Amino acid sequence: MGSGAFAFLEEGGALKQAVNQGRFQLGERPLTSNSCPLPPERLGTLTPSDPARPLAALKEQYRAQGYLWLRGFLPHNEVLAFRRRFFTAFQNTGLLKPGVGPADGIFSGLEDKRQTNKVLMEQARTAAYESFCVQPRLWQFFDAFLDGPSYLHKRKIIRYLTPGSDWATPAHYDLIYLRGGTERVVSSWIPLGDIPLEMGGLIYLEGSDALGRKMETEFVHRNAKLSPEERISAYNKNMSEGGWIGKDLAAMADRFDSRWLVADYEAGDVVVHSPYMIHASTDNTDSRGRIRLSTDIRYQNVREEIDARWNNHWTLEDML
Ligand SMILES: O=C(O)CCC(=O)C(=O)O
C-alpha cells in the first residue's frame, strides 16, 4: 500500500475531524473505559504508518512515538479466516448468537464462563494460532526491526471482549510484567477482525514511553531491597494491585496533561508498542453485538535476555 493511501487518515479522516471538532463520542454516548467517560479534550488519534516505508523511518517513528500502527500489514482475508476459525470452536458453548456465521462473532448475550474459558485455553494452544503468530510476514519484520533473529515469547495472549462486558484493560506498560528479560522486548497487538471505536480497541497515552521509563526507574529504586524474585514481580508490595497504573484514564490524562490516542482498527492492522508505552482499552459497546477479538504477543532479539517466566503457554491463572 503506497503512502498516498494514508494521507486521508493523517489529514482528513472522519475520526480525526471528529476529535478536532471536539465532538468525539459514539453517537450520543462518550467513549468509556471501565465505565469511566473519556472527555473529548483528552482524546486524539493514533498516527498510522505505512508498513512499506523504509525500515529506518519506521524505527525512528517507533522511537519518537513509542508505537507503530502498521495499517494493512497482514492479508485482510487471512485475518478474517482466523477469526472465523476461532469462533467456530465456540459454536456449542452458547457464546454466539444462533443463525449468524462464526466469522461475525456476534454475542448471544449470555456466557457460560466454565465452557468458554475451556475452549479459549484450547484455542491458545492450537497449531493454527501458533502458526498465525509465527507467520513469516511477522518474524521477518521483527528480525529486521530488532537487528537480529527474533524470538517470539511462548506466552501468547488471545482475548475476546463481549459487548456490554464490565471489563476493559486498565492502564499499564508491559515491562511491569516482563522485568526478567531485556527492556528491548516489543509487543505486538493484532486485531483479529475489524475493531472500530465502539468495539473497544487498544488506546495509548500520547508521549508515555518517556513516562513509563521514568516510572520504571522509580520502581527499580524502590524495589532494590527486595529479593530477586520479588523485584521482577508485577505484584510486589511497591506495585498497585495487579501491576495496573490505574483504571480512571481521564484522571490519568489530566495528571500527565496528555491525551489518549484512539483508532478504528481493521483486520490486517498490526500495532507494535514499546514496553514502556502506557496503554489501556475502551469498553466494547457495539450495538451490533460484535465480539472484539485480538491477540497480543511479544518479540525480542533472541540474543538478549529472555524472561523465563514467559516460557509457557498463557493460562488464565498464571498470574504473570
Ligand atoms: O487487548 C487488550 O485489551 C490488552 C492488550 C495489551 O495490554 C497489550 O497488547 O499489551
Side-chain angles (χ1 to χ4, degrees):
M1 212 183 292
S3 56
F6 294 94
F8 163 78
L9 285 154
E10 278 157 11
E11 285 152 29
L15 182 59
K16 191 150 193 171
Q17 274 175 15
V19 174
N20 289 342
Q21 290 164 12
R23 54 177 177 81
F24 190 74
Q25 52 184 28
L26 303 169
E28 294 305 304
R29 285 173 288 120
L31 196 63
T32 58
S33 177
N34 285 301
S35 304
C36 302
L38 286 158
E41 64 276 16
R42 288 293 178 197
L43 290 173
T45 51
L46 279 187
T47 301
S49 297
D50 180 350
R53 283 184 81 196
L55 186 68
L58 290 177
K59 281 184 176 176
E60 177 48 33
Q61 196 180 15
Y62 173 80
R63 202 200 49 72
Q65 299 179 156
Y67 72 87
L68 288 175
W69 173 25
L70 300 168
R71 302 230 57 196
F73 183 90
L74 296 173
H76 183 261
N77 287 346
E78 288 177 24
V79 175
L80 291 184
F82 183 82
R83 178 180 172 87
R84 180 178 311 108
R85 192 187 180 286
F86 178 88
F87 281 126
T88 299
F90 287 81
Q91 263 180 329
N92 296 325
T93 64
L95 177 71
L96 302 176
K97 187 171 172 181
V100 184
D104 293 328
I106 305 293
F107 185 39
S108 64
L110 276 177
E111 187 177 2
D112 174 352
K113 282 274 184 193
R114 254 191 345 176
Q115 281 200 59
T116 52
N117 283 348
K118 182 170 176 294
V119 177
L120 178 62
M121 290 297 93
E122 285 166 8
Q123 288 305 302
R125 283 158 181 67
T126 57
Y129 174 49
E130 185 82 20
S131 99
F132 180 88
C133 297
V134 296
Q135 58 183 289
R137 180 86 179 96
L138 284 169
W139 66 254
Q140 284 166 2
F141 173 80
F142 283 106
D143 276 10
F145 194 70
L146 295 163
D147 306 311
S150 58
Y151 168 82
L152 172 64
H153 283 254
K154 183 162 181 182
R155 184 172 186 267
K156 305 184 299 303
I157 304 177
I158 183 159
R159 320 174 189 245
Y160 67 81
L161 189 68
T162 52
S165 151
D166 58 2
W167 169 261
T169 302
H172 66 286
Y173 59 89
D174 288 355
L175 202 75
I176 291 177
Y177 303 94
L178 277 152
R179 289 180 172 138
T182 176
E183 57 151 10
R184 275 179 21 100
V185 62
V186 167
S187 297
S188 191
W189 184 78
I190 308 178
L192 299 169
D194 293 347
I195 307 188
L197 274 179
E198 57 273 26
M199 284 178 70
L202 221 59
I203 62 175
Y204 291 87
L205 189 65
E206 192 172 30
S208 63
D209 179 88
L211 203 54
R213 284 173 200 273
K214 204 165 150 240
M215 287 180 182
E216 191 58 17
T217 305
E218 282 166 27
F219 282 129
V220 168
H221 184 68
R222 283 161 62 189
N223 292 344
K225 291 209 168 72
L226 302 181
S227 69
E229 198 180 309
E230 275 182 310
R231 205 175 299 152
I232 59 171
S233 168
Y235 308 100
N236 72 37
K237 63 176 186 180
N238 294 325
M239 309 299 300
S240 62
E241 200 186 328
W244 308 119
I245 298 171
K247 278 189 177 176
D248 188 344
L249 306 189
M252 202 176 298
D254 282 345
R255 182 169 149 218
F256 298 114
D257 192 18
S258 186
R259 300 185 303 169
W260 287 97
L261 305 180
V262 306
D264 272 327
Y265 299 104
E266 285 177 13
D269 294 351
V270 168
V271 189
V272 172
H273 63 249
S274 109
Y276 293 108
M277 190 71 188
I278 297 173
H279 54 284
S281 79
T282 51
D283 297 329
N284 182 354
T285 56
D286 187 40
S287 57
R288 289 163 57 190
R290 287 169 296 177
I291 305 175
R292 183 264 244 195
L293 180 65
S294 63
T295 185
D296 43 289
I297 55 181
R298 275 109 200 137
Y299 292 85
Q300 65 169 82
N301 187 314
V302 74
R303 298 185 185 123
E304 294 175 358
E305 194 169 1
I306 293 169
D307 190 329
R309 299 171 303 170
W310 283 60
N311 281 349
N312 294 308
H313 281 301
W314 166 62
T315 68
L316 288 166
E317 306 84 27
D318 66 13
M319 291 291 288
L320 278 178

